[in-house]
Amino acid sequence: MIIQPGIAKANLGVSREDVTLEDHPLNPNPDSRWNTYFKDNEVLLQIDKDVRRLYPDMAFFQRPTDFPCQLILDPQNEYETLRRRVEQTTLKAQTVNRNRSGVTNVSSPGKALHLYPSNEYAVLPNGCEAHWEVVERILFIYAKLNPGIAYVQGMNEIVGPVYYTFATDPNSQWKEHAEADTFFCFTNLMSENRDNFIKSLDDSQCGITFKMESVFSRLKQKDTELYIRLQEQNIKPQYFTFRWLTLLLSQEFLLPDVIRIWDSLFSHQDRFEFLIPVCCAMLTLIRDQLLAGDFTTNMRLLQDYPISDVHSILIKAKELQDSL
């Protein structure tokens, strides 16, 4: 699914049948394998941009994996890695200055290198793959297998903690299969959570809008004073709960704390229904600050959540759920 149609394996005696009169790189036919390849590149570029900045405060995703995909990295096969494919697809950015007489000055590519994300980190030697490249392959193949949803920004934040958990397993036999295990678990996770990423379902019973409003409905039941305060300040649930709910709080806490919250979410009998009382608990635990703050202060609190003790949040969430 990720191999370019034009890669010839002449040294193995295989003729280059992928470039024919009927199908070639300039073929506009929607059924053309080449046309599909170029369309896929659009999705790949978005995935690439997102996975390169996955958990930037951790070095883990930039480090090489002990178990790279040998099929792709084997020089005998002449396959291109997704990283190489991205580099070939992207035109290097250049800064253009136009003066009043219409003359343009294009700065040297050397100065513009920082504009392209691939140069943020040292490139690994041939035969190595960084962990972010493994995550990129998982997301790209998921997008290919699920064209109805393909890739939506934010999926990288969902797959990151799952892959990290498998790829850091102390048992090296389990660690070896981190890519396949992550793909399996991510696919299952998305089958339950995918409605959050489908825009046409936003306003349906299973869409993200309904879930965001559910957080405020629950808050209204449990803490009317705080609910009224947020309403008076015109702080709408979509201003902060959209990110909380779609990304399963993965952006609000450090990775070990995210994994702890997910343990509770995944093992709970109501699965993602439990996320609603968790979000409600996060609000009630900072109620005094929210009641005292103005719109700007409160938005800053909600978008950069101040409490790091996830255990207290989970205990509060359980209390809120049990008191229904």
Side-chain angles (χ1 to χ4, degrees):
M1 288 201 163
I2 66 172
I3 292 166
Q4 179 186 347
I7 299 285
K9 293 195 280 185
N11 58 335
L12 299 178
V14 179
S15 63
R16 190 165 173 165
E17 293 173 357
D18 46 354
V19 178
T20 62
L21 282 173
E22 292 77 32
D23 197 7
H24 49 80
L26 300 180
N27 187 352
N29 188 329
D31 299 326
S32 156
R33 286 197 302 165
W34 278 101
N35 198 350
T36 304
Y37 176 81
F38 294 129
K39 274 204 167 65
D40 287 346
N41 282 349
E42 295 170 21
V43 177
L44 177 59
L45 287 176
Q46 182 61 61
I47 294 172
D48 187 78
K49 194 165 70 174
D50 293 345
V51 295
R52 285 178 189 269
R53 55 184 182 217
L54 199 56
Y55 288 96
D57 51 335
M58 290 173 60
F60 170 78
F61 286 97
Q62 308 307 323
R63 289 189 187 130
T65 171
D66 295 334
F67 304 100
C69 181
Q70 296 299 345
L71 176 71
I72 290 174
L73 295 180
D74 185 348
Q76 283 285 304
N77 291 331
E78 295 185 27
Y79 296 153
E80 63 179 353
T81 63
L82 289 179
R83 178 182 16 159
R84 180 84 183 113
R85 182 166 163 179
V86 166
E87 286 164 0
Q88 288 177 334
T89 304
T90 309
L91 290 172
K92 293 284 185 284
Q94 289 185 332
T95 307
V96 178
N97 298 320
R98 182 182 291 276
N99 65 23
R100 292 178 66 183
S101 62
V103 179
T104 58
N105 171 33
V106 180
S107 67
S108 69
K111 290 180 182 173
L113 282 177
H114 67 280
L115 297 174
Y116 185 58
S118 68
N119 300 289
E120 288 176 15
Y121 306 99
V123 176
L124 297 174
N126 286 340
C128 292
E129 271 190 321
H131 287 291
W132 67 260
E133 292 184 79
V134 181
V135 174
E136 178 170 67
R137 188 161 52 237
I138 291 167
L139 288 169
F140 184 66
I141 292 176
Y142 177 84
K144 290 278 288 174
L145 289 172
N146 297 272
I149 182 171
Y151 173 76
V152 180
Q153 205 166 10
M155 287 181 183
N156 57 312
E157 307 293 351
I158 300 284
V159 78
V162 181
Y163 176 74
Y164 176 82
T165 304
F166 285 123
T168 56
D169 196 290
N171 183 327
S172 62
Q173 281 184 300
W174 287 25
K175 193 194 290 190
E176 184 179 351
H177 302 288
E179 181 173 354
D181 290 344
T182 302
F183 181 81
F184 176 83
C185 289
F186 175 69
T187 302
N188 279 322
L189 181 53
M190 286 304 297
S191 71
E192 294 185 45
N193 203 36
R194 63 184 290 168
D195 292 350
N196 290 345
F197 291 91
I198 300 175
K199 194 167 176 54
S200 59
L201 294 177
D202 278 0
D203 298 319
S204 69
Q205 189 80 10
C206 57
I208 189 65
T209 305
F210 178 78
K211 290 172 188 166
M212 289 190 292
E213 287 168 355
S214 297
V215 175
F216 265 37
S217 301
R218 185 72 60 92
L219 181 66
K220 188 179 181 180
Q221 291 172 4
K222 301 297 178 187
D223 192 337
T224 311
E225 185 186 2
L226 179 56
Y227 170 79
I228 291 170
R229 178 67 174 161
L230 294 177
Q231 291 285 79
E232 285 172 351
Q233 291 187 343
N234 202 28
I235 294 178
K236 299 184 187 301
Q238 57 264 40
Y239 294 170
F240 60 96
T241 60
F242 180 82
R243 190 175 73 186
W244 289 9
L245 293 166
T246 39
L247 304 184
L248 306 179
L249 298 172
S250 61
Q251 291 284 280
E252 314 315 313
F253 303 99
L254 296 173
L255 186 54
D257 296 324
V258 171
I259 291 168
R260 174 63 194 91
I261 291 173
W262 284 17
D263 269 348
S264 291
L265 285 181
F266 297 164
S267 59
H268 199 278
Q269 57 185 16
D270 297 324
R271 285 286 252 241
F272 300 114
E273 291 300 314
F274 186 56
L275 189 55
I276 305 296
V278 171
C279 292
C280 195
M282 288 170 66
L283 292 170
T284 57
L285 286 172
I286 57 169
R287 77 182 300 274
D288 293 343
Q289 292 153 276
L290 290 170
L291 289 171
D294 58 12
F295 175 85
T296 309
T297 308
N298 287 347
M299 281 305 301
R300 198 175 294 126
L301 271 176
L302 295 167
Q303 291 182 345
D304 186 10
Y305 192 72
I307 296 177
S308 57
D309 179 11
V310 296
H311 187 62
S312 64
I313 295 169
L314 292 169
I315 289 172
K316 184 67 176 172
K318 189 78 173 71
E319 281 173 17
L320 291 172
Q321 191 174 55
D322 291 346
S323 64
L324 272 177

